């Protein structure tokens, strides 16, 4: 299978590219990525000489670039997005252009080229905050922030291309991922790297917001299965089934890094901060997928990875990046 992966230089995308090249000897991957602040070719240094892999720098909103890259592929797996909630709260323009218009451009191109499979990577955030129970695929969408609203728009647009045009679209909605190569603005890599550097861990609000954590390699396995065995026009929730309060997670990170809890620093809450996400992943389980990594072991492996890969994250955390979270920290 020849697969066009959008956003393959980002966190989940790069793990997915590596997964496909490792698991499927006959597959080829084109990684189409704009290389925004979140895209990093270091994430795939180990595969860049593989003859089955090709990188194309391009913008999913650019029709000509998209058509050229998509020509002749069997499937599209679409990860490319603006992904950080705090950034979307500060300014949402890029979220709308990439997540909504960019997805539209890809869907149009896939329709024109009659691509046989289009997997649109969505998120549990589209369901909004869930006080009790777990979201199922056909539950109403209720996004709270500009990021999740833009993802909901993309998700609905992708589904409309199935309903109206019979473009063979499948949507996955996963819970919070963690693991190697995650940009250190997201809570787990931010807290691990801050702890390593003896810097404060800025915990939003009362620290009792709950996220359902999924190891990135388990998500890659699920997406791969959906790509090959999923049913056209369907949505699949992909949850880790491991809910943790942020304060508990923060203590676990500090324990694994070997740093004191005095580094925990309460800061003002994120506006519109969703209290809890939870997914019912029964449908994906029915397809034959289950997470194979336990949360404690996966978190330990992730901490070790960041300890061993300072050369990857230290350059990212220098310069302009620092001002972003320190601004929040100072405003408490
Ligand atoms: P990321 O921010 O690490 O990477 C995004 C990638 O997309 C980067 O390589 C970036 O350069 C690229 N990109 C951005 N705009 C582009 C454009 N206009 N054209 C081409 N490439 C562009 O993201 P991630 O955390 O790996 O998330 C990947 C996908 O999974 C996203 O669609 C996100 O909404 C979804 N998702 C993420 C999580 C999570 O916990 N990280 C959970 C659920 C869903
Ligand atoms: O400094 C922080 N302090 C803090 O308390 C940061 C960055 C986060 N948090 C809290 C907010 C959330 O309750 O930690 C939790 C996780 O925050 P993020 O890592 O920003 O993730 P979240 O907002 O849950 O969104 C993530 O999961 C769904 C991804 O960024 C999205 O791309 C994905 O769709």
């Amino acid at each position: 299978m020849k697969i066009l992966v959008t956003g393959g230089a980002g966190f989940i995308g790069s793990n997915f590219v590596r997964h496909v090249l490792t698991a499927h000897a006959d597959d080829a991957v084109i990684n189409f990525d704009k290389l925004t602040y979140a895209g990093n070719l270091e994430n795939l240094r180990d595969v860049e000489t593989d003859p089955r892999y090709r990188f194309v720098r391009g913008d999913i909103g650019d029709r000509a670039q998209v058509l050229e890259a998509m020509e002749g592929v069997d499937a599209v797996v679409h990860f490319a997005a603006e992904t950080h909630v705090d950034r979307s709260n500060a300014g949402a323009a890029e979220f709308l252009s990439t997540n909504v218009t960019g997805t539209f451009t890809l869907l149009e191109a896939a329709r024109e080229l009659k691509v046989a499979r289009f997997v649109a990577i969505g998120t549990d955030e589209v369901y909004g905050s869930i006080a009790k129970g777990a979201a199922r695929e056909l539950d109403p969408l209720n996004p709270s922030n500009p990021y999740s609203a833009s993802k909901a728009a993309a998700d609905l647009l992708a589904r409309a291309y199935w309903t109206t045009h019979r473009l063979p679209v499948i949507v996955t909605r996963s819970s919070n991922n963690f693991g190697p190569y995650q940009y250190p603005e997201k809570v787990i890599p931010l807290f691990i790297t801050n702890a390593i550097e003896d810097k404060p861990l800025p915990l939003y609000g009362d620290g009792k917001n709950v996220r359902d954590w999924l190891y990135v390699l388990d998500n890659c396995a699920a997406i791969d299965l959906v790509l090959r065995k999923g049913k056209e026009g369907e949505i699949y929730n992909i949850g880790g089934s491991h809910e943790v309060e942020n304060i508990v997670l923060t203590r676990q990170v500090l324990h694994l890094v070997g740093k004191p809890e005095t580094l925990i620093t309460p800061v003002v809450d994120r506006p519109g901060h969703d209290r809890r996400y939870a997914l019912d992943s029964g449908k994906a389980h029915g397809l034959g997928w289950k997470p194979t990594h336990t949360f404690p072991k996966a978190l330990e492996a992730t901490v070790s990875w960041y300890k061993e890969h300072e050369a990857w994250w230290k350059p990212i955390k220098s310069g302009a990046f620092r001002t972003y979270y320190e601004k929040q920290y100072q405003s408490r």
Side-chain angles (χ1 to χ4, degrees):
M1 193 189 288
K2 190 171 171 188
I3 308 168
L4 178 73
V5 173
T6 73
F11 163 48
I12 309 176
S14 61
N15 278 286
F16 181 75
V17 168
R18 185 176 295 99
H19 169 90
V20 168
L21 293 173
T22 308
H24 304 284
D26 295 333
D27 282 3
V29 174
I30 300 167
N31 172 11
F32 184 84
D33 197 296
K34 186 178 173 181
L35 298 183
T36 67
Y37 80 94
N40 187 350
L41 290 180
E42 291 302 322
N43 298 3
L44 286 168
R45 276 285 172 247
D46 53 327
V47 307
E48 69 183 7
T49 55
D50 189 321
R52 298 170 300 145
Y53 171 77
R54 188 157 69 89
F55 173 68
V56 176
R57 187 166 190 180
D59 187 333
I60 59 167
D62 185 314
R63 186 172 177 273
Q65 290 177 355
V66 163
L67 281 170
E68 193 182 337
M70 205 184 280
E71 179 73 49
V73 305
D74 303 299
V76 174
V77 183
H78 171 36
F79 293 91
E82 287 295 329
T83 62
H84 194 44
V85 172
D86 294 318
R87 285 179 190 259
S88 84
N89 291 350
E94 289 288 326
F95 288 75
L96 296 179
S97 58
T98 289
N99 300 2
V100 186
T101 310
T103 299
F104 162 69
T105 307
L106 288 171
L107 290 165
E108 277 291 300
R111 190 180 156 217
E112 193 172 323
L113 297 173
K114 300 189 175 17
V115 170
R117 204 70 147 168
F118 189 109
V119 180
I121 305 300
T123 170
D124 62 355
E125 296 211 11
V126 295
Y127 298 112
S129 198
I130 312 257
K132 275 189 284 184
R136 302 191 65 177
E137 285 83 353
L138 295 182
D139 284 357
L141 305 190
N142 186 26
S144 313
N145 57 65
Y147 161 71
S148 54
S150 71
K151 289 296 289 183
D155 180 313
L156 291 172
L157 200 56
R159 290 183 44 68
Y161 270 66
W162 160 252
T163 308
T164 303
H165 300 303
R166 282 296 180 253
L167 181 71
V169 166
I170 306 179
V171 171
T172 68
R173 294 178 185 152
S174 87
S175 58
N176 283 58
N177 282 225
F178 69 103
Y181 302 104
Q182 186 168 29
Y183 194 82
E185 68 189 345
K186 306 292 185 339
V187 76
I188 288 186
L190 175 67
F191 282 11
I192 293 172
T193 56
N194 277 16
I196 292 171
E197 295 186 305
D198 295 302
K199 288 183 177 161
L201 275 48
L203 186 64
Y204 296 165
D206 65 3
K208 292 193 172 166
N209 298 65
V210 172
R211 295 294 183 267
D212 169 11
W213 290 101
L214 173 67
Y215 192 50
V216 65
L217 298 183
D218 284 325
N219 191 20
C220 291
I223 294 166
D224 193 21
L225 184 68
V226 164
L227 169 67
R228 286 154 219 277
K229 302 263 166 60
K231 198 167 159 227
E232 292 171 4
E234 296 289 320
I235 306 162
Y236 293 91
N237 284 346
I238 316 284
S241 303
H242 191 88
E243 290 181 38
V244 195
E245 281 185 356
N246 290 340
I247 178 67
V248 174
L249 173 72
T250 306
R251 290 197 183 109
Q252 287 169 338
V253 165
L254 284 168
H255 177 75
L256 286 168
V257 181
K259 294 292 167 79
E261 291 188 9
T262 48
L263 286 178
I264 299 174
T265 306
V267 296
V268 289
D269 207 357
R270 169 188 282 176
H273 194 177
D274 282 331
R275 194 65 169 166
R276 173 177 174 263
Y277 300 134
L279 288 178
D280 180 330
S281 308
K283 199 165 152 188
H285 296 165
L287 209 56
W289 172 80
K290 275 215 162 60
T292 59
H293 299 83
T294 66
F295 180 79
K297 282 222 155 57
L299 187 62
E300 199 181 327
T302 302
V303 168
S304 299
W305 190 89
Y306 281 90
K307 277 186 178 165
E308 287 156 16
H309 289 81
E310 291 199 357
W312 181 85
W313 58 264
K314 283 230 158 137
I316 298 173
K317 285 189 78 174
S318 63
F321 175 87
R322 193 167 277 153
T323 58
Y324 176 70
Y325 66 87
E326 281 188 354
K327 209 166 82 192
Q328 271 192 317
Y329 167 57
Q330 281 157 9
S331 69
R332 88 199 133 100

